[in-house]
Amino acid sequence: LIDTFTLSNGLHIPKIGFGTWQIPSGSDAYDATKTALDLGYRHIDTALAYGNEASVGEAVRDSGIPRDELFITTKLPAEVKTASGARDAFEESSRNLDLGHVDLYLIHAPWPWSDMGSDHRDGNVEVWKVFEELYDAGRTKSVGVSNFAVADLEDLLGRTDVVPHANQIRWFIGNTQDETTAFDREHDILTEGYSPLATGGLLENEQIAEIAAKYDKSVAQVAIRYLLEKDVLPLPKSTTPSRIAANADVDFVLSADDVAALDALEDTTN
Ligand code: A2P
């Protein structure tokens, strides 16, 4: 669980992150984060837009785990595409978390959620320049993007200095985002996968269940392990302690044949 990937700037990032999307602030987010930390997770993924940064930060502080053993990701809301907005949002996240630095700061999406696919290339460049300042100042140890497709990345890389260290995208068996993942790899950008269980959509899949039975593992564990086999960092989330534990217990290796069988599965979750 404390195994790490290494970002292009040399920073180590624990291979499995605990996702907190849709976990309500207050005791839900506090308890889930605290449970994850108690069970050995050292990487927590939140966002200003999740509304739960303060609860996550409190759980992290209460855990007593030394700050330098932890990796904390948060995100600039997708709607913010100005430099001053980005500065304000970072300060707000910083205050909410109250953990000193951030380890990875991401642009949550290339476009506002209300207008997916709209063109904000100039805005993304403008906020990225703030990200570069925050990175140079050590306020965040790495910087990245989320939900960026190849065209979004190409534009940003062509117009700014620091290449994103990570790109967090929706990634699961049957939805492997091959083009973006290949582009990330070529540019030494770590691909992080959110919703590795397709937000629960894979759990009833019989073909995955057959493979899981061979390893005496659950469908969720095979689905998470599959990302690791592809060098994609999984960000599973759960509020159930036994599942939080199981999702990090993926220290087994899928055979090449089983990986190939999973590669061939199509997305049936939509
Ligand atoms: P719960 O919080 O009740 O455990 P994803 O990470 O793809 O977005 O999926 C998250 C969803 O999958 C949540 O609804 C979560 O429910 C459920 N889930 C997470 N881990 C497991 C698991 N190991 N087994 C079954 N369901 C899980």
Side-chain angles (χ1 to χ4, degrees):
L1 188 59
I2 49 169
D3 225 18
T4 59
F5 288 111
T6 306
L7 299 176
S8 63
N9 65 352
L11 192 67
H12 292 277
I13 179 168
K15 276 198 170 180
I16 299 179
F18 182 67
T20 64
W21 178 44
Q22 291 179 329
I23 304 184
S25 72
S27 59
D28 286 345
Y30 179 92
D31 291 346
T33 304
K34 194 70 175 20
T35 300
L37 293 168
D38 288 346
L39 289 168
Y41 287 76
R42 291 294 178 268
H43 171 182
I44 312 286
D45 183 278
T46 182
L48 186 59
Y50 300 168
N52 59 20
E53 284 173 319
S55 309
V56 167
E58 190 184 353
V60 170
R61 290 194 306 278
D62 288 356
S63 75
I65 297 164
R67 180 68 185 87
D68 63 4
E69 292 176 18
L70 293 160
F71 195 101
I72 310 295
T73 299
T74 194
K75 311 183 191 85
L76 174 72
E79 294 71 24
V80 179
K81 298 299 180 195
T82 63
S84 65
R87 284 193 193 97
D88 289 350
F90 183 85
E91 295 309 332
E92 189 178 345
S93 285
S94 253
R95 276 195 304 275
N96 286 340
L97 287 165
D98 193 11
L99 295 170
H101 67 274
V102 167
D103 293 285
L104 173 61
Y105 196 44
L106 302 177
I107 298 180
H108 208 140
W111 18 249
W113 295 108
S114 59
D115 197 9
M116 287 168 72
S118 56
D119 179 3
H120 293 271
R121 285 179 290 186
D122 293 347
N124 287 322
V125 169
E126 184 170 327
V127 302
W128 193 253
K129 292 188 172 161
V130 174
F131 276 48
E132 291 177 336
E133 287 169 21
L134 294 165
Y135 177 57
D136 287 343
R139 303 288 308 277
T140 182
K141 302 293 178 192
S142 61
V143 285
V145 295
S146 182
N147 298 296
F148 270 49
V150 170
D152 303 310
L153 288 164
E154 278 177 336
D155 186 75
L156 189 71
L157 264 60
R159 298 167 65 190
T160 59
D161 294 329
V162 176
V163 176
H165 300 110
N167 183 20
Q168 183 180 127
I169 55 182
R170 191 160 177 265
W171 208 107
F172 50 82
I173 294 169
N175 182 53
T176 52
Q177 308 247 26
D178 296 341
E179 243 184 278
T180 306
T181 306
F183 184 95
D184 287 350
R185 184 171 298 124
E186 263 166 53
H187 292 86
D188 216 354
I189 299 167
L190 175 71
T191 302
E192 299 187 327
Y194 70 82
S195 297
L197 312 179
T199 326
L202 290 179
L203 295 167
E204 304 296 319
N205 187 294
E206 286 173 19
Q207 286 146 299
I208 305 175
E210 272 175 36
I211 290 173
K214 289 200 273 183
Y215 297 86
D216 205 14
K217 294 287 179 182
S218 68
V219 168
Q221 287 170 316
V222 168
I224 291 164
R225 181 68 214 178
Y226 179 76
L227 274 72
L228 293 173
E229 303 288 359
K230 302 289 185 179
D231 284 331
V232 174
L233 188 151
L235 295 165
K237 60 180 185 293
S238 173
T239 51
T240 313
S242 60
R243 292 172 176 173
I244 296 173
N247 292 348
D249 179 17
V250 291
D251 200 10
F252 63 104
V253 177
L254 291 165
S255 73
D257 283 353
D258 287 328
V259 170
L262 296 170
D263 289 344
L265 293 187
E266 286 180 6
D267 188 359
T268 54
T269 61
N270 288 319

